[in-house]
Amino acid sequence: MKAASNNLQTAEHRTESDPLLPIKDEKRQNSNERGHETDKKFKLCDTLARDDATDILTLAVPIFVAAVSWIVMKTTDTALLGHVGTEYLSASALSDLYTMCTGVLIRGRILGILCSQAVGAGNYKLA
């Protein structure tokens, strides 16, 4: 009877991470503890990776929508002007060339310079 009551008492004090059978081997116990540390590291890495992916998608989705919108707008312009005449279509192509070249210059050089100067000066709100 006493042995049965002792087993009940020890069963009440067990947690989920405790093994059902006592571990007598110190090497096994140390490896079990290292396993819990590794699980914590994986959970931390998983959380950090999920946060990074969320941040990247938050930035990438508006850029993707803008790029697709530009393509849709230019495709619509080309389709409509193709029915009007070739002179209008060539004028539209030249204006698109000029717009894209100046857009690349503005985004690539000027904004890069201004943003890097603002970050260097510690004015993160301006950048």
Side-chain angles (χ1 to χ4, degrees):
M1 279 306 248
K2 280 189 174 184
S5 65
N6 285 340
N7 286 340
L8 290 175
Q9 287 176 350
T10 56
E12 292 174 2
H13 296 291
R14 288 187 184 147
T15 62
E16 289 183 21
S17 62
D18 292 339
L20 294 176
L21 298 173
I23 298 175
K24 294 180 182 177
D25 204 7
E26 288 182 23
K27 292 179 182 177
R28 293 174 97 194
Q29 189 172 6
N30 290 338
S31 68
N32 192 17
E33 290 172 3
R34 277 186 263 139
H36 290 300
E37 291 174 9
T38 306
D39 290 344
K40 289 178 185 177
K41 288 178 185 176
F42 282 131
K43 288 179 184 176
L44 178 64
C45 290
D46 185 38
T47 304
L48 292 175
R50 190 177 311 120
D51 291 342
D52 288 343
T54 303
D55 291 341
I56 290 171
L57 287 176
T58 302
L59 293 172
V61 169
I63 294 170
F64 176 75
V65 170
V68 169
S69 299
W70 179 264
I71 292 169
V72 168
M73 183 176 65
K74 292 304 166 185
T75 303
T76 306
D77 289 348
T78 304
L80 293 176
L81 288 173
H83 290 290
V84 175
T86 57
E87 293 176 6
Y88 300 107
L89 186 59
S90 62
S92 174
L94 286 175
S95 72
D96 288 345
L97 177 67
Y98 176 76
T99 304
M100 288 301 291
C101 288
T102 56
V104 167
L105 175 69
I106 290 171
R107 278 181 274 172
R109 299 292 298 160
I110 296 171
L111 285 179
I113 292 168
L114 292 176
C115 288
S116 64
Q117 287 178 351
V119 169
N123 190 356
Y124 298 107
K125 187 175 182 180
L126 180 64

